[in-house]
Amino acid sequence: MPMPAAELERRLREAFPAAEIVITDLAGDGDHYRARIVDEAFRGLPRVRQHQLVNRALADVLGGVLHALALETVVPD
């Protein structure tokens, strides 16, 4: 069963409440998403660590209900 985009966004907003988040369904199937997350929490962190923070917030669904997630993590200007 795929994960609705709204559920993915809700989970990301819980982990990054002040973030600007844009979710794109890449295949129209609810299994393949791109998430662009702009948040101060990423400042000073290497990209790998930024993605680890996001993956930790979604650990229980990655590779299962959420099959694929392309991440773009950005620090605000």
Side-chain angles (χ1 to χ4, degrees):
M1 178 173 177
M3 172 179 271
E7 174 64 11
L8 174 57
E9 185 172 345
R10 183 192 67 74
R11 286 169 159 265
L12 291 172
R13 289 206 181 282
E14 283 181 3
F16 305 97
E20 172 191 321
I21 299 172
V22 177
I23 305 294
T24 305
D25 187 340
L26 297 174
D29 60 3
D31 273 344
H32 300 79
Y33 289 104
R34 175 180 25 232
R36 183 175 196 276
I37 306 167
V38 181
D39 195 67
E40 191 62 39
F42 302 135
R43 188 169 303 281
L45 298 177
R47 183 91 46 214
V48 169
R49 181 72 179 119
Q50 294 173 13
H51 289 201
Q52 286 173 338
L53 290 175
V54 176
N55 289 341
R56 184 180 312 145
L58 302 170
D60 63 320
V61 293
L62 277 175
V65 175
L66 181 57
H67 179 70
L69 179 63
L71 289 176
E72 179 185 3
T73 51
V74 181
V75 175
D77 293 333

Coordinates of all heavy atoms in Angstrom, one line a residue:
M1 N 0.8 -1.2 0.0 CA 0.0 0.0 0.0 C 0.9 1.2 0.0 O 1.8 1.4 0.8 CB -0.9 0.0 1.2 CG -1.8 1.2 1.4 SD -2.9 0.9 2.8 CE -3.7 2.4 2.8
P2 N 0.7 2.2 -0.9 CA 1.5 3.3 -1.0 C 1.3 4.3 0.1 O 0.2 4.3 0.8 CB 1.2 4.0 -2.4 CG 0.0 3.2 -2.9 CD -0.2 2.0 -2.0
M3 N 2.2 5.3 0.3 CA 2.0 6.3 1.3 C 1.5 7.6 0.6 O 2.1 8.0 -0.4 CB 3.4 6.6 1.9 CG 3.3 7.8 2.8 SD 4.9 8.1 3.6 CE 4.7 7.1 5.1
P4 N 0.4 8.1 1.1 CA -0.1 9.4 0.5 C 0.9 10.5 0.7 O 1.6 10.6 1.7 CB -1.4 9.7 1.2 CG -1.8 8.3 1.8 CD -0.5 7.6 2.1
A5 N 1.0 11.4 -0.2 CA 1.9 12.5 -0.1 C 1.7 13.4 1.1 O 2.6 13.9 1.8 CB 1.8 13.4 -1.4
A6 N 0.4 13.5 1.5 CA 0.0 14.3 2.7 C 0.6 13.6 3.9 O 1.0 14.3 4.9 CB -1.5 14.4 2.8
E7 N 0.7 12.3 4.0 CA 1.2 11.6 5.2 C 2.7 11.8 5.2 O 3.3 12.0 6.3 CB 0.9 10.1 5.1 CG 1.6 9.3 6.2 CD 1.2 9.6 7.6 OE1 0.2 10.4 7.8 OE2 1.8 9.1 8.5
L8 N 3.4 11.8 4.1 CA 4.8 12.0 4.0 C 5.1 13.4 4.5 O 6.0 13.7 5.3 CB 5.3 11.8 2.6 CG 6.8 12.1 2.3 CD1 7.7 11.4 3.2 CD2 7.1 11.9 0.8
E9 N 4.4 14.4 4.0 CA 4.6 15.8 4.4 C 4.3 16.0 5.9 O 5.1 16.7 6.6 CB 3.7 16.7 3.6 CG 4.0 18.2 3.9 CD 3.2 19.1 3.0 OE1 2.7 18.7 1.9 OE2 3.2 20.3 3.3
R10 N 3.3 15.3 6.4 CA 3.0 15.4 7.8 C 4.2 14.9 8.7 O 4.6 15.6 9.7 CB 1.7 14.6 8.2 CG 1.3 14.7 9.7 CD 0.2 13.7 10.0 NE 0.7 12.4 10.0 CZ 1.5 11.8 10.9 NH1 2.0 12.5 11.9 NH2 1.9 10.5 10.8
R11 N 4.7 13.8 8.3 CA 5.8 13.2 9.1 C 7.1 14.2 9.0 O 7.8 14.3 10.0 CB 6.2 11.9 8.5 CG 5.2 10.8 8.9 CD 5.5 9.5 8.0 NE 4.9 8.4 8.7 CZ 5.6 7.6 9.5 NH1 6.8 7.8 9.8 NH2 5.0 6.5 10.0
L12 N 7.3 14.7 7.8 CA 8.4 15.6 7.7 C 8.2 16.9 8.5 O 9.2 17.4 9.1 CB 8.7 15.9 6.2 CG 9.3 14.7 5.4 CD1 9.3 15.1 3.9 CD2 10.6 14.3 5.9
R13 N 7.0 17.4 8.5 CA 6.7 18.6 9.3 C 6.8 18.4 10.8 O 7.2 19.3 11.5 CB 5.3 19.1 8.9 CG 5.3 19.7 7.6 CD 4.2 20.8 7.4 NE 4.2 21.2 6.0 CZ 5.1 22.1 5.5 NH1 6.0 22.6 6.3 NH2 5.1 22.5 4.2
E14 N 6.6 17.2 11.2 CA 6.8 16.8 12.6 C 8.3 16.9 13.0 O 8.6 17.4 14.0 CB 6.2 15.4 13.0 CG 4.7 15.4 13.1 CD 4.2 14.0 13.4 OE1 5.1 13.1 13.6 OE2 3.0 13.8 13.5
A15 N 9.1 16.4 12.1 CA 10.5 16.4 12.3 C 11.2 17.7 12.1 O 12.2 18.1 12.7 CB 11.2 15.3 11.4
F16 N 10.6 18.5 11.1 CA 11.2 19.8 10.8 C 10.1 20.9 10.7 O 9.6 21.3 9.7 CB 11.9 19.7 9.4 CG 12.9 18.6 9.3 CD1 12.6 17.4 8.8 CD2 14.2 18.8 9.8 CE1 13.6 16.4 8.7 CE2 15.2 17.8 9.7 CZ 14.8 16.6 9.2
P17 N 9.6 21.3 11.9 CA 8.4 22.1 12.0 C 8.5 23.5 11.3 O 7.5 24.1 10.8 CB 8.1 22.3 13.4 CG 9.3 21.7 14.2 CD 10.1 20.9 13.2
A18 N 9.7 24.0 11.2 CA 9.9 25.4 10.6 C 10.3 25.3 9.2 O 10.6 26.3 8.5 CB 11.0 26.1 11.4
A19 N 10.4 24.1 8.6 CA 10.9 23.9 7.2 C 9.9 24.3 6.2 O 8.7 24.3 6.3 CB 11.3 22.5 7.0
E20 N 10.5 24.7 5.0 CA 9.7 24.8 3.8 C 9.9 23.4 3.1 O 11.0 23.0 2.9 CB 10.4 25.9 2.9 CG 9.8 26.0 1.5 CD 10.6 26.9 0.6 OE1 11.0 27.9 1.1 OE2 10.7 26.5 -0.6
I21 N 8.8 22.8 2.9 CA 8.8 21.4 2.4 C 7.9 21.3 1.1 O 6.8 21.8 1.1 CB 8.2 20.4 3.4 CG1 9.1 20.4 4.7 CG2 8.2 19.0 2.8 CD1 8.6 19.6 5.8
V22 N 8.5 20.8 0.1 CA 7.8 20.5 -1.2 C 7.9 19.0 -1.5 O 9.1 18.5 -1.7 CB 8.4 21.4 -2.3 CG1 7.6 21.1 -3.6 CG2 8.3 22.9 -2.0
I23 N 6.8 18.4 -1.7 CA 6.8 17.0 -2.0 C 6.3 16.8 -3.5 O 5.3 17.4 -3.9 CB 5.8 16.2 -1.1 CG1 6.1 16.4 0.4 CG2 5.7 14.7 -1.5 CD1 7.4 15.8 0.8
T24 N 7.0 16.0 -4.2 CA 6.6 15.7 -5.6 C 6.5 14.2 -5.8 O 7.5 13.5 -5.4 CB 7.7 16.3 -6.6 OG1 7.9 17.6 -6.4 CG2 7.3 16.0 -8.0
D25 N 5.4 13.7 -6.3 CA 5.2 12.3 -6.6 C 5.8 12.1 -8.0 O 5.3 12.5 -9.0 CB 3.7 12.0 -6.6 CG 3.4 10.5 -6.7 OD1 4.3 9.7 -7.2 OD2 2.3 10.1 -6.3
L26 N 6.9 11.4 -8.0 CA 7.7 11.3 -9.3 C 7.0 10.3 -10.3 O 7.2 10.5 -11.5 CB 9.1 10.8 -8.9 CG 9.9 11.7 -8.1 CD1 11.3 11.1 -7.7 CD2 10.1 13.0 -8.8
A27 N 6.3 9.3 -9.8 CA 5.8 8.3 -10.7 C 4.2 8.3 -10.7 O 3.7 7.5 -11.4 CB 6.4 6.9 -10.4
G28 N 3.6 9.0 -9.8 CA 2.2 9.0 -9.7 C 1.6 7.8 -9.0 O 0.4 7.5 -9.1
D29 N 2.5 7.1 -8.3 CA 2.1 5.8 -7.7 C 2.1 5.8 -6.2 O 1.8 4.8 -5.6 CB 3.0 4.7 -8.2 CG 4.4 4.8 -7.9 OD1 4.8 5.8 -7.2 OD2 5.2 4.0 -8.4
G30 N 2.5 6.9 -5.6 CA 2.6 7.0 -4.1 C 3.8 6.2 -3.5 O 3.8 6.1 -2.3
D31 N 4.7 5.8 -4.4 CA 5.8 5.0 -3.9 C 7.1 5.7 -4.2 O 8.2 5.3 -3.6 CB 5.9 3.7 -4.6 CG 5.1 2.6 -3.9 OD1 4.7 2.8 -2.8 OD2 4.8 1.6 -4.6
H32 N 7.2 6.7 -5.1 CA 8.4 7.3 -5.5 C 8.2 8.8 -5.4 O 7.5 9.4 -6.2 CB 8.7 6.9 -6.9 CG 8.9 5.5 -7.1 ND1 7.9 4.6 -7.3 CD2 10.1 4.7 -7.2 CE1 8.4 3.4 -7.4 NE2 9.7 3.4 -7.4
Y33 N 8.9 9.4 -4.4 CA 8.7 10.8 -4.1 C 10.1 11.6 -4.2 O 11.1 11.0 -4.0 CB 8.2 11.1 -2.7 CG 6.7 10.7 -2.6 CD1 6.4 9.5 -1.9 CD2 5.7 11.5 -3.1 CE1 5.0 9.2 -1.8 CE2 4.4 11.2 -2.9 CZ 4.1 10.0 -2.3 OH 2.7 9.7 -2.1
R34 N 10.0 12.9 -4.4 CA 11.1 13.8 -4.2 C 10.6 14.7 -3.1 O 9.5 15.2 -3.1 CB 11.4 14.5 -5.4 CG 12.5 15.6 -5.2 CD 13.0 16.4 -6.4 NE 11.9 16.5 -7.4 CZ 12.1 16.2 -8.7 NH1 13.2 15.8 -9.1 NH2 11.1 16.3 -9.5
A35 N 11.5 15.0 -2.1 CA 11.2 15.9 -1.1 C 12.3 17.0 -1.1 O 13.5 16.7 -1.0 CB 11.2 15.3 0.3
R36 N 11.9 18.2 -1.2 CA 12.8 19.4 -1.0 C 12.5 20.0 0.3 O 11.4 20.4 0.6 CB 12.6 20.4 -2.1 CG 13.6 21.6 -2.1 CD 13.4 22.5 -3.3 NE 14.5 23.4 -3.4 CZ 14.7 24.5 -2.8 NH1 13.7 24.9 -1.9 NH2 15.7 25.3 -3.0
I37 N 13.5 20.0 1.2 CA 13.3 20.5 2.6 C 14.3 21.6 2.8 O 15.6 21.4 2.7 CB 13.5 19.4 3.6 CG1 12.6 18.2 3.2 CG2 13.3 19.9 5.0 CD1 13.0 16.9 4.0
V38 N 13.8 22.8 3.1 CA 14.7 23.9 3.4 C 14.5 24.2 4.9 O 13.4 24.5 5.3 CB 14.3 25.2 2.6 CG1 15.2 26.4 2.9 CG2 14.2 24.9 1.1
D39 N 15.6 24.0 5.6 CA 15.5 24.2 7.1 C 16.9 24.6 7.7 O 17.9 24.2 7.2 CB 15.0 22.9 7.7 CG 14.6 23.1 9.1 OD1 13.5 23.8 9.3 OD2 15.2 22.6 10.1
E40 N 16.8 25.5 8.7 CA 18.0 25.9 9.4 C 18.7 24.8 10.1 O 19.9 24.8 10.3 CB 17.5 27.0 10.4 CG 18.7 27.7 11.0 CD 19.5 28.5 10.1 OE1 19.0 29.1 9.1 OE2 20.8 28.5 10.2
A41 N 18.0 23.7 10.4 CA 18.6 22.5 11.1 C 19.7 21.9 10.3 O 20.6 21.2 10.9 CB 17.5 21.5 11.3
F42 N 19.8 22.2 9.0 CA 20.8 21.6 8.1 C 22.1 22.5 8.1 O 23.1 22.0 7.6 CB 20.3 21.4 6.7 CG 19.1 20.6 6.6 CD1 18.0 20.9 5.8 CD2 19.0 19.4 7.3 CE1 16.9 20.1 5.7 CE2 17.9 18.6 7.2 CZ 16.8 18.9 6.4
R43 N 22.1 23.7 8.6 CA 23.2 24.6 8.6 C 24.4 23.9 9.2 O 24.4 23.4 10.3 CB 22.9 25.9 9.2 CG 24.0 26.9 9.0 CD 23.7 28.3 9.4 NE 22.5 28.9 8.7 CZ 22.4 29.4 7.5 NH1 23.5 29.4 6.8 NH2 21.3 29.9 7.0
G44 N 25.5 24.0 8.5 CA 26.8 23.5 9.0 C 27.0 22.0 8.9 O 28.1 21.5 9.3
L45 N 26.0 21.3 8.5 CA 26.1 19.8 8.4 C 26.4 19.4 7.0 O 25.9 19.9 6.0 CB 24.7 19.2 8.8 CG 24.2 19.4 10.2 CD1 22.9 18.8 10.4 CD2 25.2 18.9 11.2
P46 N 27.2 18.3 6.9 CA 27.5 17.8 5.5 C 26.2 17.2 5.0 O 25.3 16.8 5.7 CB 28.5 16.7 5.7 CG 28.6 16.4 7.2 CD 28.0 17.6 7.9
R47 N 26.1 17.1 3.7 CA 24.9 16.6 3.0 C 24.5 15.2 3.5 O 23.3 14.9 3.8 CB 25.1 16.5 1.5 CG 23.9 16.1 0.7 CD 23.0 17.2 0.2 NE 23.8 18.3 -0.4 CZ 23.4 19.5 -0.3 NH1 22.3 19.8 0.3 NH2 24.1 20.5 -0.8
V48 N 25.5 14.3 3.8 CA 25.2 13.0 4.3 C 24.4 13.1 5.6 O 23.4 12.4 5.9 CB 26.4 12.1 4.4 CG1 26.2 10.9 5.2 CG2 27.0 11.8 3.0
R49 N 24.9 13.9 6.5 CA 24.3 14.1 7.8 C 22.9 14.7 7.7 O 22.0 14.3 8.4 CB 25.2 15.0 8.7 CG 24.6 15.2 10.1 CD 24.7 13.9 10.9 NE 24.2 14.1 12.2 CZ 23.2 13.5 12.8 NH1 22.6 12.5 12.1 NH2 22.8 13.8 14.0
Q50 N 22.7 15.6 6.8 CA 21.4 16.2 6.5 C 20.4 15.1 6.1 O 19.3 15.0 6.7 CB 21.5 17.3 5.4 CG 22.3 18.5 5.8 CD 22.4 19.4 4.6 OE1 21.8 19.3 3.6 NE2 23.4 20.4 4.8
H51 N 20.8 14.3 5.2 CA 19.9 13.2 4.7 C 19.7 12.2 5.8 O 18.6 11.6 5.9 CB 20.5 12.6 3.5 CG 20.4 13.5 2.3 ND1 20.5 13.0 1.0 CD2 20.3 14.8 2.2 CE1 20.4 14.0 0.2 NE2 20.3 15.1 0.9
Q52 N 20.7 11.9 6.7 CA 20.5 11.0 7.8 C 19.4 11.5 8.7 O 18.6 10.7 9.2 CB 21.8 10.8 8.6 CG 22.8 9.9 7.9 CD 24.1 9.9 8.6 OE1 24.4 10.8 9.3 NE2 24.9 8.9 8.3
L53 N 19.3 12.8 8.9 CA 18.3 13.4 9.8 C 16.9 13.1 9.2 O 15.9 12.8 9.9 CB 18.5 14.9 10.0 CG 19.7 15.4 10.8 CD1 19.8 16.9 10.8 CD2 19.5 14.9 12.2
V54 N 16.8 13.3 7.9 CA 15.5 13.1 7.2 C 15.2 11.6 7.3 O 14.0 11.2 7.6 CB 15.5 13.6 5.8 CG1 14.2 13.2 5.1 CG2 15.8 15.1 5.7
N55 N 16.1 10.7 7.0 CA 15.9 9.3 7.0 C 15.5 8.8 8.3 O 14.7 7.9 8.5 CB 17.1 8.6 6.5 CG 17.4 8.7 5.0 OD1 16.5 9.1 4.3 ND2 18.6 8.5 4.5
R56 N 16.1 9.4 9.4 CA 15.7 9.0 10.8 C 14.2 9.3 11.0 O 13.5 8.4 11.7 CB 16.6 9.7 11.8 CG 16.3 9.2 13.2 CD 17.1 9.9 14.2 NE 18.5 10.0 13.9 CZ 19.3 11.0 14.2 NH1 18.9 12.0 14.9 NH2 20.6 10.9 13.8
A57 N 13.7 10.4 10.5 CA 12.3 10.7 10.7 C 11.4 9.8 10.0 O 10.2 9.7 10.3 CB 12.1 12.2 10.2
L58 N 11.9 9.1 9.0 CA 11.1 8.2 8.2 C 11.5 6.7 8.2 O 11.1 5.9 7.4 CB 11.1 8.7 6.7 CG 10.7 10.1 6.4 CD1 11.0 10.5 5.0 CD2 9.2 10.3 6.7
A59 N 12.3 6.4 9.2 CA 13.0 5.1 9.3 C 12.0 3.9 9.3 O 12.2 2.9 8.7 CB 13.8 5.0 10.5
D60 N 10.8 4.1 9.9 CA 9.8 3.0 10.0 C 9.1 2.7 8.6 O 8.4 1.7 8.5 CB 8.9 3.2 11.1 CG 8.0 4.5 10.9 OD1 8.5 5.5 10.4 OD2 6.8 4.4 11.2
V61 N 9.2 3.6 7.7 CA 8.5 3.5 6.4 C 9.4 3.4 5.2 O 9.0 2.9 4.1 CB 7.4 4.6 6.2 CG1 6.3 4.5 7.2 CG2 8.1 5.9 6.2
L62 N 10.7 3.8 5.3 CA 11.6 3.7 4.2 C 11.9 2.3 3.8 O 12.1 1.5 4.6 CB 12.9 4.4 4.5 CG 12.9 5.9 4.4 CD1 14.3 6.5 4.8 CD2 12.7 6.4 2.9
G63 N 11.8 2.0 2.5 CA 12.0 0.7 2.0 C 10.8 -0.2 2.2 O 10.8 -1.4 1.7
G64 N 9.8 0.3 2.7 CA 8.5 -0.5 2.9 C 7.4 0.3 2.2 O 7.3 0.3 1.0
V65 N 6.5 0.9 3.0 CA 5.4 1.7 2.4 C 6.0 2.8 1.5 O 5.4 3.1 0.5 CB 4.6 2.3 3.6 CG1 3.5 3.2 3.0 CG2 4.0 1.2 4.4
L66 N 7.1 3.4 1.9 CA 7.7 4.4 1.1 C 8.9 3.8 0.4 O 10.0 3.5 1.0 CB 8.2 5.6 2.0 CG 8.9 6.7 1.3 CD1 8.0 7.3 0.3 CD2 9.3 7.8 2.3
H67 N 8.7 3.5 -0.9 CA 9.7 2.7 -1.6 C 11.0 3.5 -2.0 O 12.1 3.0 -1.8 CB 9.1 2.1 -2.9 CG 10.0 1.3 -3.7 ND1 10.5 0.1 -3.4 CD2 10.6 1.6 -4.9 CE1 11.3 -0.3 -4.3 NE2 11.4 0.6 -5.3
A68 N 10.8 4.7 -2.5 CA 11.9 5.5 -2.9 C 11.7 7.0 -2.6 O 10.6 7.5 -2.8 CB 12.1 5.4 -4.4
L69 N 12.7 7.7 -2.1 CA 12.6 9.1 -1.8 C 13.9 9.8 -2.2 O 15.0 9.4 -1.7 CB 12.4 9.3 -0.2 CG 12.4 10.7 0.2 CD1 11.2 11.4 -0.4 CD2 12.3 10.7 1.8
A70 N 13.8 10.7 -3.1 CA 15.0 11.5 -3.6 C 14.9 12.7 -2.7 O 13.9 13.4 -2.6 CB 14.8 11.9 -5.0
L71 N 16.0 13.1 -2.1 CA 16.1 14.2 -1.1 C 16.9 15.3 -1.7 O 18.0 15.2 -2.3 CB 16.7 13.8 0.2 CG 15.9 12.8 1.1 CD1 16.8 12.4 2.3 CD2 14.7 13.5 1.5
E72 N 16.4 16.5 -1.4 CA 17.1 17.8 -1.6 C 17.0 18.5 -0.3 O 15.9 19.0 0.0 CB 16.6 18.6 -2.8 CG 17.4 19.9 -3.0 CD 16.7 20.8 -4.1 OE1 15.7 20.4 -4.6 OE2 17.3 21.8 -4.3
T73 N 18.1 18.6 0.4 CA 18.1 19.4 1.7 C 18.9 20.6 1.5 O 20.0 20.6 0.9 CB 18.7 18.5 2.8 OG1 20.0 18.0 2.4 CG2 17.8 17.4 3.2
V74 N 18.3 21.7 1.9 CA 18.8 23.1 1.7 C 18.8 23.9 2.9 O 17.8 23.8 3.7 CB 18.0 23.8 0.6 CG1 18.5 25.1 0.3 CG2 17.9 22.9 -0.7
V75 N 19.8 24.7 3.1 CA 19.8 25.7 4.2 C 19.2 27.0 3.7 O 19.6 27.4 2.6 CB 21.3 26.0 4.7 CG1 21.4 27.0 5.7 CG2 21.9 24.7 5.2
P76 N 18.4 27.7 4.5 CA 17.8 28.9 4.0 C 18.9 30.0 3.7 O 19.9 30.0 4.4 CB 16.9 29.4 5.1 CG 16.9 28.3 6.1 CD 17.9 27.3 5.8
D77 N 18.6 30.9 2.8 CA 19.5 32.0 2.5 C 19.6 33.0 3.7 O 18.7 33.2 4.4 CB 19.0 32.8 1.3 CG 19.1 32.0 0.0 OD1 19.9 31.1 0.0 OD2 18.3 32.3 -0.9

